Amino acid sequence: MTDGVYTVKIKDIVKETKNIKTFRLDLDLPALPGQYIMLWVPGYDEKPLSISYPGRDMGVTVLRKGATTARLHDMKRGDILGVRGPFGRAFKITGERLIAVGGGVGMAPIAPLAEKAIEMGREITVIIGAVTKSELLFVDRLERAGAEIIITTDDGTCGMKCFTTHALEKELEKGRYDECFTCGPEIMMYKVLEIAKRHGLPTQVSMERYFKCGIGICGACVMDDGGLRVCKEGPNFRDVEIEKFKDFGKYTRDASGKKVYW
Ligand code: FES
């Protein structure tokens, strides 16, 4: 797949939750589940964003946090954005009975993964977690696609009143899965990996780090000690790679490279 650079119009905007919007762009961008683009908001910054809708009218689903995403959230249909990509190593589906855990906006790459798995004839259960019912993402979309859905909310307003990891633990006791995927808050993914490992399940984790170049040159996104770059060798890593990262689940780095502990 060729990496490209595009100037595109916003074709449609969907308000998913109070602070999350999906932007469909006037761009046909084939991509694999788990890949990302660098989205440039004119006058602001460029941000790495998981592709939530690959292909025609490519889409990204964005949480409002910080000045660039706040500006993006204020933009309208017809406004112009810059796109580079698609980039990164996609999720690789090898199992037959899959389980995926998505927390909050972490559902952005999990939704196309589930759709792809179903298209490939695999069974997939998706644990969708959020703080409260109104923050849940892509429940209808994945029900329509034919995924089995388990919902968890911290406050019990929908589905099970627990964290996604509790639901995962319960589900894995049934012993019917052979591969696991996760994207969401790093502390959640850390626990997902721990639980999946206990159950002998291979896992792929979608990692997030501060990006500058997005093309493997600047070193801003290197995981500690593994030497692997999230923008290039990631963002999706296998459990055997993740276990070598001493920063996973402990700290990230800010724009200046300073450690920020979770
Ligand atoms: S963002 Fe520059 S090497 Fe990854």
Side-chain angles (χ1 to χ4, degrees), residues 210-222 229-232:
Y210 187 83
F211 281 16
K212 285 184 183 165
C213 68
I215 51 170
I217 293 170
C218 72
C221 67
V222 174
R229 298 159 294 184
V230 176
C231 72
K232 202 72 183 173

Side-chain angles (χ1 to χ4, degrees), residues 69-85:
T69 51
R71 168 67 191 135
L72 180 62
H73 268 241
D74 290 342
M75 291 177 92
K76 307 270 176 289
R77 258 186 232 145
D79 285 347
I80 300 289
L81 294 166
V83 171
R84 290 193 288 137

Side-chain angles (χ1 to χ4, degrees), residues 20-258:
I20 298 175
K21 284 182 178 176
T22 292
F23 297 84
R24 302 299 293 264
L25 308 182
D26 192 10
L27 176 66
D28 185 352
L29 191 69
L32 296 167
Q35 288 193 298
Y36 70 94
I37 56 160
M38 294 297 288
L39 188 78
W40 175 59
V41 179
Y44 284 77
D45 200 356
E46 203 185 19
K47 293 281 173 201
L49 293 167
S50 285
I51 297 169
S52 53
Y53 290 91
R56 199 153 163 227
D57 301 341
M58 189 274 292
V60 286
T61 301
V62 187
L63 172 68
R64 183 188 193 114
K65 66 164 190 194
T68 303
T69 51
R71 168 67 191 135
L72 180 62
H73 268 241
D74 290 342
M75 291 177 92
K76 307 270 176 289
R77 258 186 232 145
D79 285 347
I80 300 289
L81 294 166
V83 171
R84 290 193 288 137
F87 295 130
R89 182 164 60 166
F91 286 124
K92 190 161 187 213
I93 299 169
T94 54
E96 290 296 326
R97 292 180 311 278
L98 321 175
I99 187 157
V101 184
V105 75
M107 279 301 297
I110 297 293
L113 166 79
E115 287 168 344
K116 181 75 178 174
I118 291 162
E119 193 187 302
M120 291 167 70
R122 313 295 164 91
E123 282 175 31
I124 183 161
T125 298
V126 184
I127 301 176
I128 305 178
V131 173
T132 192
K133 184 179 178 182
S134 58
E135 296 293 321
L136 288 162
L137 208 53
F138 296 143
V139 175
D140 294 347
R141 174 180 173 185
L142 291 191
E143 266 171 3
R144 271 197 308 272
E148 195 178 311
I149 309 280
I150 296 170
I151 293 171
T152 72
T153 47
D154 298 2
D155 64 0
T157 44
C158 190
M160 298 165 71
K161 184 181 180 194
C162 63
F163 294 139
T164 52
T165 44
H166 294 143
L168 177 69
E169 185 85 67
K170 258 185 130 177
E171 200 56 24
L172 293 192
E173 278 161 18
K174 296 178 186 166
R176 48 186 282 244
Y177 299 100
D178 56 14
E179 194 167 32
C180 178
F181 301 84
T182 186
C183 184
E186 195 157 312
I187 299 300
M188 180 201 86
M189 298 197 293
Y190 185 86
K191 289 197 175 134
V192 166
L193 196 67
E194 208 175 67
I195 294 164
K197 192 179 174 188
R198 216 179 322 118
H199 288 267
L201 212 58
T203 301
Q204 289 168 53
V205 172
S206 178
M207 192 65 72
E208 188 182 358
R209 281 293 178 269
Y210 187 83
F211 281 16
K212 285 184 183 165
C213 68
I215 51 170
I217 293 170
C218 72
C221 67
V222 174
M223 295 301 290
D224 270 358
D225 286 1
L228 299 181
R229 298 159 294 184
V230 176
C231 72
K232 202 72 183 173
E233 286 79 35
N236 301 295
F237 292 103
R238 295 184 169 275
D239 41 16
V240 287
E241 296 166 320
I242 291 275
E243 281 160 10
K244 292 182 191 138
F245 302 155
K246 69 176 187 190
D247 42 354
F248 179 58
K250 295 186 181 63
Y251 61 88
T252 184
R253 288 181 188 273
D254 65 15
S256 69
K258 206 173 115 208

